[in-house]
């Protein structure tokens, strides 16, 4: 092979290596962008907005009892008892909800700066007229590390921290936000108890507006 041919091959190899590297960077950038996509206020609103109530559908005795119970805990400042948070969890099962991964310092209830954008989106959604009049559960959850009592207290403090943020930034009516800590009782991924997905705050629309569909 002549020196001129070798030079051409070297240049071609360098060009191909540059193209492959550029393609890898683009793929990595796109993958990272997708992985970090977070719910917007519109996404949260859609998840929490109740379906239109069917005309003529009667309210059951259980629904009446549930609403009466919710009235007793609206605006509660102290932590819910075990029986109360169990009752809330039962009501929440069939309600509109969304999980948000809210970032806290390790072993702390202090909200870190990177959690603020998500909480701002949540506040915008809860301020929307479509959700006016609702009662919303802010349920704190931890992963499976540590003891039950410690995780219970930590989850309560974290849910309370989210409520405080929403009250201060959006002036939402305090009685519309109910906090409850569930520690590691309700793992989102029980097969992976230490997964980050378990460390979350779940927002549930407990009390929906009674509007009939057209």
């Amino acid at each position: 092979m002549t020196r001129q041919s070798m030079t051409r091959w070297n240049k071609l190899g360098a060009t191909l290596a540059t193209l492959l590297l550029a393609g890898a960077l683009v793929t990595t950038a796109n993958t990272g962008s997708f992985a970090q996509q977070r719910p917007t206020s519109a996404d949260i609103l859609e998840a929490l907005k109740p379906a239109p109530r069917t005309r003529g559908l009667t309210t059951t005795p259980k629904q009446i009892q549930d609403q009466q119970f919710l009235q007793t805990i609206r605006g509660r400042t102290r932590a819910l008892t075990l029986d109360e948070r169990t009752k809330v969890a039962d009501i929440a099962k069939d309600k509109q909800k969304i999980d948000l991964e809210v970032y806290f310092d390790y072993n702390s209830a202090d909200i870190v700066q990177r959690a603020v954008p998500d909480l701002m989106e949540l506040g915008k959604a809860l301020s929307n007229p479509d959700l006016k009049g609702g009662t919303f559960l802010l349920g704190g959850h931890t992963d499976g590390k540590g003891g039950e009592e410690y995780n219970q207290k930590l989850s309560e403090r974290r849910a309370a921290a989210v409520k405080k943020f929403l009250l201060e930034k959006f002036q939402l009516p305090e009685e519309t936000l109910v906090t409850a800590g569930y520690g590691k009782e309700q793992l989102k991924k029980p097969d992976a108890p230490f997964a980050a997905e378990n460390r979350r705050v779940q927002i549930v629309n407990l009390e929906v507006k009674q509007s009939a569909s057209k």
Side-chain angles (χ1 to χ4, degrees), residues 7-131:
T7 300
R8 283 203 303 268
W9 277 109
N10 287 337
K11 287 182 178 179
L12 179 59
T15 301
L16 286 172
T18 301
L19 290 173
L20 289 172
L21 176 60
L25 290 174
V26 169
T27 301
T28 302
N30 288 340
T31 302
S33 173
F34 178 79
Q36 295 174 6
Q37 187 175 359
R38 310 290 292 179
T40 65
S41 58
D43 296 329
I44 298 171
L45 175 63
E46 190 61 30
L48 295 179
K49 194 163 52 176
R53 182 177 171 83
T54 304
R55 187 182 298 278
L57 188 65
T58 59
T59 303
T60 67
K62 182 182 183 305
Q63 289 173 328
I64 295 174
Q65 292 175 359
D66 289 346
Q67 295 303 311
Q68 290 173 342
F69 166 73
L70 292 174
Q71 290 296 332
T72 68
I73 63 171
R74 279 170 61 98
R76 177 75 64 83
T77 55
R78 63 174 175 79
L80 300 183
T81 66
L82 174 59
D83 288 343
E84 287 172 335
R85 68 174 186 263
T86 301
K87 175 70 172 176
V88 171
D90 178 66
I91 296 173
K93 285 189 302 186
D94 301 321
K95 300 295 186 181
Q96 303 297 105
K97 61 181 69 68
I98 187 170
D99 286 339
L100 293 183
E101 186 178 347
V102 180
Y103 301 104
F104 295 90
D105 283 332
Y106 180 68
N107 280 350
S108 168
D110 294 332
I111 296 170
V112 300
Q113 189 59 37
R114 62 176 175 152
V116 171
D118 287 343
L119 292 178
M120 292 298 290
E121 294 299 305
L122 172 60
K124 292 175 189 176
L126 295 180
S127 301
N128 191 287
D130 287 343
L131 296 182

